[in-house]
Amino acid sequence: MRLPIRLLAPALLAAGPLLTGCGGPEPLPEAAPAPRPTSARPSALAPSTDAPSTARPSSAGPSGPAVAAASLGGPGTACPLPVSFSLPKDWKPNAIELPTDPELADLADLARRGPAVMRCEIDAKPAGLIGFLRVWTLEKGSAQPSARAALEAFVKGDETSSAVTYREIEAGALPAVEATYTVRSALFDEDKEERAFAVTTPKGVVVVDLGGTDTEEHREMLPAYELARTTLKAL
């Protein structure tokens, strides 16, 4: 059963959930996650350029590598997707269902970015963090560009994005491209880090991105992002 569409208060729009359905992830054997340490707020963002790089990103954030506790994407999970990947304990996925009522077009636009449409939103709040891991696919029936072209259009879909760096990586065993960049936070009126990767599957391009209320929160959630990336499989 789908839950009713929700619209956030404007002040929390950048960090809050969008249009969600219901359902739960497919459980795996539960394991205790590493404790979350106290970390200082970064004083500045690392410099970046939009030139390609082949450097491989770190696979661990401040809390160390995340432990898989659930699987998402396959049949019977909260979000049927062209890919599957693992999630840490207490990260809650919700399927996104766009409204078809023309009067709700502005609301539906919240789940679009560049050529991509949000299909799943994974909430970190039950795990004690404020942010989301989101999965996007391209519009059905649209031409499927390369993963790099789709990711570039996705990043440019946020008009505040800047300091973009692209690099060739792997998502599971699949070739992929990743972007690290900054966007302007409307909540705090400051730049914050974000990152996303794109992969081509037999069912089209998939983009996975990680946000957060600020750079510190974003970095705290990197282990979940890296878990998704390293365990990703095309379905």
Side-chain angles (χ1 to χ4, degrees):
M1 178 183 299
R2 301 284 185 183
L3 295 179
I5 295 167
R6 294 180 282 136
L7 179 61
L8 293 174
L12 298 179
L13 183 58
L18 295 176
L19 319 175
T20 61
C22 61
E26 176 184 344
L28 295 177
E30 187 171 298
R36 180 185 175 193
T38 301
S39 59
R41 186 184 181 89
S43 59
L45 299 178
S48 177
T49 68
D50 50 5
S53 170
T54 56
R56 188 176 183 87
S58 170
S59 61
S63 300
V67 177
S71 179
L72 181 69
T77 63
C79 301
L81 299 166
V83 297
S84 67
F85 53 83
S86 296
L87 293 176
K89 182 181 178 182
D90 293 333
W91 283 63
K92 183 179 179 181
N94 290 285
I96 303 301
E97 186 174 3
L98 300 185
T100 57
D101 188 339
E103 294 184 359
L104 298 177
D106 289 345
L107 185 59
D109 285 344
L110 296 176
R112 291 190 173 92
R113 185 166 165 186
V117 177
M118 194 189 308
R119 303 299 182 190
C120 190
E121 184 173 71
I122 306 155
D123 190 357
K125 286 195 294 296
L129 300 166
I130 304 175
F132 297 88
L133 192 65
R134 293 177 170 126
V135 185
W136 311 68
T137 62
L138 301 196
E139 291 274 15
K140 292 181 179 179
S142 64
Q144 295 288 319
S146 67
R148 171 65 182 256
L151 186 58
E152 288 178 350
F154 175 82
V155 172
K156 292 176 182 177
D158 187 325
E159 296 179 354
T160 71
S161 62
S162 63
V164 188
T165 298
Y166 294 96
R167 60 181 65 84
E168 302 298 323
I169 62 167
E170 290 183 348
L174 300 175
V177 60
E178 182 180 59
T180 54
Y181 54 100
T182 64
V183 297
R184 193 70 180 173
S185 169
L187 185 61
F188 296 116
D189 192 27
E190 65 181 19
D191 288 341
K192 63 188 182 80
E193 292 179 0
E194 292 199 358
R195 70 182 61 201
F197 70 84
V199 61
T200 299
T201 78
K203 298 178 182 178
V205 176
V206 175
V207 177
V208 178
D209 85 300
L210 177 68
T213 54
D214 56 24
T215 292
E216 180 182 7
E217 202 76 23
H218 172 82
R219 292 176 178 175
E220 289 287 346
M221 296 187 293
L222 284 178
Y225 170 91
E226 288 297 330
L227 178 64
R229 183 185 67 80
T230 56
T231 59
L232 184 138
K233 298 177 181 178
L235 298 177

